[in-house]
Amino acid sequence: MEGLDEPFCTNRNRKFPELMKLGKDLTLQGLIVGLLSMKKGEVARFVFMPDYAYGQRGCPPLIPQNATVMFTVELLDFLDTEESDAFFELTAEQQDTFPLQKVLRVADIEREFGNYLFRGRHFSLARDRYKNAISILGRNPSSDAEQCQINAAKLLVLLNLSITYLKLERPDKALAYGEKALEIDQRNAKALFRCGQACLCMTEYTKAWDFLTRAQRIQPFNHSINDELKKLAR
């Protein structure tokens, strides 16, 4: 803002910048319009007239009336969750009428959102998004082909839940979700590995050895699996 040496608003110094939702956490009209015009990784500078900023009233005490303000914005990443947000506003009966491909798309959006939160080390929030995905994948399939599609989507989310609970220091939950993944694919090396890690954390060494050696037979040159076996041997 003109005449002000220090920024009146910033999250630049945060290790993990706050995740903000357009129209809810970000309500400044100019910022909404500006952000929708940007690409991932882009840096832009916007100058907003009062009508697109804080209006005639301003935002005392920092922003006076009828102030023209400037924002420098770096768009680190974004997720388009409009489709999933609309889906979760429906009743359960309405959700059940949606075609499978729509449900799979919503589940994938929730999983991607969980992955984004996981990368930012927001593990509890990531867990909640993954659980959203699992909840809508519980519908009854109308054919074997639909069941295969649901299982493929579920498997990814269950594996994500398993590692998330390891990060949350809940190896019992990590094991439970790893075993659910194995119910879908008993030769999934990643699921066996997660179960082995969970058992190792719980000092259930015999079970850990069983899971990890089964994973190693499937992927004998996987460094992560072999490192866990070395750790177990010590």
Side-chain angles (χ1 to χ4, degrees):
M1 189 166 62
E2 186 177 358
L4 198 65
D5 293 330
E6 296 295 327
F8 62 87
C9 177
T10 183
N11 66 356
R12 186 178 181 85
N13 298 324
R14 295 180 183 175
K15 186 176 181 181
F16 298 110
E18 184 179 354
L19 186 67
M20 292 178 284
K21 190 174 184 64
L22 291 184
K24 183 178 179 182
D25 305 305
L26 281 175
T27 57
L28 206 68
Q29 184 63 28
L31 270 179
I32 292 173
V33 173
L35 284 165
L36 289 173
S37 73
M38 295 178 68
K39 298 177 182 178
K40 190 181 298 186
E42 185 178 357
V43 179
R45 181 168 290 172
F46 299 107
V47 176
F48 301 134
M49 300 297 287
D51 286 348
Y52 283 87
Y54 296 94
Q56 295 181 357
R57 301 179 65 179
C59 189
L62 286 177
I63 302 167
Q65 299 175 356
N66 292 310
T68 297
V69 298
M70 180 176 69
F71 279 86
T72 300
V73 180
E74 181 179 4
L75 186 59
L76 300 175
D77 205 349
F78 67 89
L79 290 163
D80 183 357
T81 61
E82 182 178 5
E83 197 172 355
S84 65
D85 290 344
F87 182 85
F88 283 110
E89 287 176 1
L90 301 174
T91 65
E93 291 76 15
Q94 291 172 320
Q95 290 177 6
D96 286 340
T97 65
F98 270 63
L100 178 62
Q101 294 308 314
K102 172 84 170 183
V103 172
L104 293 174
R105 173 60 187 152
V106 171
D108 196 50
I109 291 170
E110 289 297 296
R111 184 179 64 83
E112 288 178 2
F113 202 165
N115 291 347
Y116 175 85
L117 293 164
F118 185 94
R119 290 193 296 270
R121 305 186 66 80
H122 303 294
F123 300 124
S124 293
L125 294 175
R127 173 203 60 201
D128 294 342
R129 288 290 172 170
Y130 295 143
K131 285 192 171 183
N132 279 350
I134 285 292
S135 72
I136 65 172
L137 290 171
R139 66 187 293 167
N140 294 321
S142 60
S143 66
D144 290 342
E146 282 198 359
Q147 185 65 69
C148 286
Q149 292 183 75
I150 292 170
N151 283 347
K154 266 187 180 179
L155 182 60
L156 295 175
V157 183
L158 292 169
L159 290 170
N160 288 345
L161 277 165
S162 184
I163 190 173
T164 300
Y165 273 111
L166 283 173
K167 295 294 185 181
L168 290 169
E169 299 182 352
R170 289 293 309 275
D172 56 326
K173 290 281 192 178
L175 176 61
Y177 281 107
E179 289 178 327
K180 285 180 182 292
L182 289 173
E183 291 174 8
I184 295 173
D185 180 5
Q186 62 182 349
R187 286 182 52 80
N188 187 283
K190 189 172 286 187
L192 291 165
F193 176 59
R194 297 293 176 227
C195 290
Q197 284 182 301
C199 290
L200 188 55
C201 290
M202 294 187 290
T203 67
E204 295 184 12
Y205 300 125
T206 301
K207 288 180 67 175
W209 182 264
D210 177 61
F211 281 122
L212 291 170
T213 52
R214 285 164 62 191
Q216 189 187 51
R217 284 195 291 271
I218 297 165
Q219 293 186 2
F221 303 110
N222 185 300
H223 293 299
S224 298
I225 295 170
N226 291 331
D227 286 346
E228 286 297 288
L229 280 167
K230 289 176 185 176
K231 187 190 300 182
L232 184 57
R234 290 196 295 268

